[in-house]
Amino acid sequence: MKASRIAAVGAVAGVAVLTLSAPAFAHVSVQPEGEAAKGGYAVVDFKVPNERDNASTTKLEVTFPTDHPLASVMPQPVDGWDIKVTKSKLDKPLEMHGRKIDEAVTKVTWTADDDDGIDPGFFQKFPVSVGTLPEDADELVFKALQTYSNKEVVRWIEVPQEGQEEPDFPAPVLVLAEASADGHAHGASDGEAEGSKADETTGNAENAAAESTAAAGSDDAGGTDTTARVLGVVGIVVGAAGVAYGVLAGRRRADA
């Protein structure tokens, strides 16, 4: 009896621990695809697991930081989900590529087209291209609201504090990496990458053209040299023939 009671108490305690700690290991999070470096661009994924066994996740609202606003926010289309981007006026305009930006994205909302959404036992990723990332911050906090098909709303808005235990409902936090030693940030935008590739291709094409011109000039020089040699040989043969003809003609006159 004592053994069975101890086992029962242990089982109940174990279930209680799992129940209380569930939010800590299954929550909305954000991770970069590759690296999110300060001063650069990155594609980040908001990962949303379904924690319920009797409802689907049908809506996700992500609030973007206002203390470090992002001038460029472009969500990637997700099948079965409608995307709404909300912009707000900035107290202090941003400067991007030589022009001032007076508004920035403050919220992105994904809503399932039907009640299916994210089924129990599954998760969904919502990719977003963001930039430029701030150079004076080590992380960005994105508060999120997760809505289920039974109208339940889970608020992932508690900001984790250094040196303290993770809260029950932590907000997604994006950790920023340092820029590379050459001063260029990792995770550059596709446009910048394509521009670099285009410059490299142009440089290769110019080098190839120069090499081709040099080769052509070399062939012309070789051709001229060969022609001169042939003409020289012909001249020698003609001259020898003339001398021989002169000798023969002199002998014939002497005999006559």
Side-chain angles (χ1 to χ4, degrees):
M1 290 294 293
K2 289 183 179 181
S4 38
R5 285 180 182 177
I6 293 174
V9 171
V12 172
V15 171
V17 170
L18 291 174
T19 302
L20 292 175
S21 61
F25 62 81
H27 52 76
V28 176
S29 61
V30 59
Q31 291 293 333
E33 294 183 4
E35 191 175 63
K38 298 178 181 180
Y41 290 78
V43 175
V44 299
D45 295 328
F46 291 95
K47 182 179 178 182
V48 183
N50 192 336
E51 298 181 300
R52 303 294 179 263
D53 56 6
N54 59 351
S56 299
T57 295
T58 57
K59 188 176 182 180
L60 173 68
E61 300 172 71
V62 176
T63 300
F64 281 67
T66 55
D67 54 342
H68 295 288
L70 301 173
S72 176
V73 176
M74 294 185 292
Q76 179 176 316
V78 179
D79 291 340
W81 293 79
D82 177 70
I83 304 175
K84 179 182 178 181
V85 178
T86 303
K87 294 183 178 181
S88 301
K89 289 288 184 178
L90 297 176
D91 296 332
K92 183 179 180 181
L94 300 174
E95 187 169 340
M96 181 178 180
H97 302 305
R99 62 189 183 94
K100 288 187 176 180
I101 306 296
D102 60 357
E103 64 177 8
V105 173
T106 52
K107 182 188 291 187
V108 178
T109 304
W110 292 265
T111 305
D113 294 338
D114 49 41
D115 288 337
D116 289 340
I118 307 173
D119 294 329
F122 291 86
F123 73 90
Q124 177 70 52
K125 287 184 179 180
F126 299 92
V128 182
S129 173
V130 295
T132 54
L133 297 173
E135 299 181 3
D136 57 348
D138 296 324
E139 61 184 27
L140 295 177
V141 178
F142 301 85
K143 297 183 178 182
L145 302 182
Q146 181 180 8
T147 302
Y148 287 90
S149 56
N150 60 3
K151 307 306 179 183
E152 177 190 4
V153 178
V154 181
R155 302 169 63 85
W156 304 100
I157 62 173
E158 299 178 9
V159 180
Q161 301 296 328
E162 186 177 355
Q164 298 182 10
E165 294 184 0
E166 185 178 55
D168 291 337
F169 299 94
V173 177
L174 176 65
V175 178
L176 303 181
E178 297 293 335
S180 59
D182 58 3
H184 294 87
H186 296 288
S189 64
D190 293 340
E192 292 174 344
E194 290 299 328
S196 177
K197 291 181 180 179
D199 293 341
E200 182 179 354
T201 302
T202 302
N204 291 340
E206 291 175 351
N207 292 337
E211 292 176 0
S212 176
T213 302
S218 177
D219 291 343
D220 290 343
T224 302
D225 185 60
T226 301
T227 301
R229 290 179 182 179
V230 171
L231 291 178
V233 173
V234 171
I236 292 173
V237 172
V238 172
V243 173
Y245 179 78
V247 173
L248 290 176
R251 287 180 180 179
R252 287 177 182 177
R253 289 177 182 175
D255 293 341

